[in-house]
Amino acid sequence: KNQVEQSPQSLIILEGKNCTLQCNYTVSPFSNLRWYKQDTGRGPVSLTIMTFSENTKSNGRYTATLDADTKQSSLHITASQLSDSASYICVVSVRRDSGNTPLVFGKGTRLSVIA
Amino acid sequence: AAGVIQSPRHLIKEKRETATLKCYPIPRHDTVYWYQQGPGQDPQFLISFYEKMQSDKGSIPDRFSAQQFSDYHSELNMSSLELGDSALYFCASSLGISVLDTQYFGPGTRLTVL
């Protein structure tokens, strides 16, 4: 069964600190992995997308890593800001021969940044 | 920059009623996806359209139907509503159908079935 597991479930950090969120997946065959940021009640916003051959990708203060061998990804946030408080969702695409592929979503990590 | 527009933002219906949710993709985007996110749950893919044709189908109930129109906007029609249909319904759009195309999500429509 295609699954995406994220940890921790929730995290509280002080403003200015760094943090790392984890994502493990069993999706096969793998196509790509995305990290989304979702504010409460809002649509998810794409942060990064990585294919099989990529193992690091940055977007501002967000850096995602991917280890396709161990099927693990991480999202590192540096110098956190209060506006980083949100849910961070790991999403994996299943590769198919034709057509677009639906996405398998993790349950997200709820990050709270406090002053 | 223009984003994905969904309407209405909030909708309250009673059991067995029907509801229609609308999605207006980012201009020039030709692919639309619908997702359902129940309370405290991860989004579930429902259905997608590319160039006005259904391109993929997920866990969409038979009571639901959807289509994409000539102007690329999409509508999700929901009939015989059940309490369990209460959820946040997201629409996303992308330019192209490639798995690498980023999906841009709308703000969602919160449906409450009483």
Side-chain angles (χ1 to χ4, degrees):
Chain A
K1 181 181 178 182
N2 292 322
Q3 285 187 315
V4 175
E5 302 285 342
Q6 291 188 243
S7 62
Q9 187 174 3
S10 61
L11 183 63
I12 301 174
I13 62 173
L14 292 174
E15 185 180 14
K17 297 295 185 182
N18 305 335
C19 67
T20 300
L21 313 181
Q22 300 291 343
C23 172
N24 298 331
Y25 61 91
T26 58
V27 174
S28 180
F30 172 87
S31 177
N32 60 75
L33 184 146
R34 312 160 192 246
W35 282 93
Y36 282 95
K37 176 185 178 184
Q38 183 179 25
D39 292 309
T40 302
R42 307 289 296 274
V45 174
S46 178
L47 296 176
T48 64
I49 177 171
M50 289 185 292
T51 60
F52 185 88
S53 59
E54 298 174 296
N55 49 29
T56 301
K57 183 164 282 189
S58 293
N59 177 4
R61 294 181 297 103
Y62 302 103
T63 299
T65 66
L66 173 65
D67 186 333
D69 291 330
T70 61
K71 299 187 176 181
Q72 295 180 326
S73 176
S74 66
L75 179 68
H76 187 73
I77 305 175
T78 58
S80 62
Q81 301 175 358
L82 297 178
S83 60
D84 292 333
S85 297
S87 288
Y88 291 83
I89 306 174
C90 176
V91 184
V92 181
S93 286
V94 180
R95 178 168 49 84
R96 291 186 184 173
D97 292 335
S98 62
N100 62 308
T101 63
L103 310 177
V104 183
F105 287 75
K107 295 191 180 302
T109 292
R110 179 68 200 173
L111 175 65
S112 297
V113 180
I114 60 176
Chain B
V4 176
I5 297 173
Q6 290 187 246
S7 68
R9 294 293 308 278
H10 302 274
L11 189 60
I12 300 175
K13 291 285 185 178
E14 297 197 353
K15 283 173 53 177
R16 294 180 287 277
E17 286 191 321
T18 62
T20 297
L21 310 185
K22 297 184 179 182
C23 169
Y24 297 86
I26 291 172
R28 298 195 309 277
H29 281 195
D30 50 18
T31 308
V32 169
Y33 309 79
W34 284 98
Y35 295 88
Q36 176 192 57
Q37 185 176 24
Q41 300 184 13
D42 47 311
Q44 296 293 321
F45 170 72
L46 294 178
I47 194 167
S48 62
F49 294 87
Y50 169 66
E51 283 291 346
K52 293 155 279 185
M53 299 286 290
Q54 180 181 310
S55 57
D56 208 343
K57 189 173 182 180
S59 54
I60 184 169
D62 292 339
R63 298 178 289 109
F64 295 5
S65 65
Q67 57 181 324
Q68 186 179 32
F69 294 86
S70 58
D71 63 352
Y72 295 101
H73 94 272
S74 177
E75 295 184 5
L76 177 66
N77 299 296
M78 311 158 72
S79 62
S80 302
L81 288 171
E82 302 174 356
L83 296 179
D85 295 330
S86 295
L88 197 54
Y89 290 83
F90 288 111
C91 167
S93 75
S94 66
L95 178 60
I97 202 175
S98 166
V99 297
L100 296 180
D101 293 323
T102 297
Q103 296 182 28
Y104 296 85
F105 284 78
T109 293
R110 183 169 295 284
L111 172 66
T112 303
V113 181
L114 304 176

